[in-house]
Amino acid sequence: MAIVAVSIAPLGTGETSVSAYVAETQRVLERYPDLRHRLDPMFTTIEGDLGRIFQAIQEMHEALVAMGAKRLSTVVKIDDRRDVTHSMEEKVAAVEEKTR
């Protein structure tokens, strides 16, 4: 299981807000019930099979193109740990525990 942070931003839309585009990516992710996801202020974090996550990211891209985006800038960060399985919440809790 992988945990992936992804940010997809349309360029050259003439608007400073990207919330409508982010909302569309969230609608795409709702079509992937096998992937857990969480919207954060700067990224969307997705948890699940890495191949399925890549498939979802590609569909997110295509959805934004369908909205009229001519250019997209995407940042993807992957945590693909194979020795143990940790959820998004467990990773955060491990750090929070060390700050007490």
Side-chain angles (χ1 to χ4, degrees), residues 2-94:
I3 298 175
V4 174
V6 61
S7 173
I8 305 172
L11 302 176
T13 64
E15 296 289 328
T16 56
S17 175
V18 295
S19 61
Y21 293 94
V22 174
E24 185 62 24
T25 65
Q26 299 304 296
R27 282 190 280 279
V28 168
L29 286 171
E30 292 300 324
R31 296 194 292 263
Y32 288 81
D34 55 318
L35 300 178
R36 295 182 63 229
H37 61 90
R38 180 176 74 193
L39 177 64
D40 294 316
M42 300 292 292
F43 285 88
T44 297
T45 306
I46 309 169
E47 181 181 274
D49 176 76
L50 186 57
R52 288 286 288 164
I53 293 172
F54 282 138
Q55 183 180 2
I57 291 171
Q58 182 175 6
E59 191 173 330
M60 292 160 71
H61 261 247
E62 295 304 322
L64 299 191
V65 169
M67 290 179 69
K70 302 278 190 258
R71 185 176 184 183
L72 300 169
S73 175
T74 302
V75 176
V76 178
K77 183 174 183 179
I78 302 168
D79 181 355
D80 184 16
R81 187 168 178 181
R82 304 282 175 104
D83 61 334
V84 296
T85 301
H86 284 126
S87 68
M88 294 181 276
E89 295 81 11
E90 289 170 326
K91 288 177 64 82
V92 171

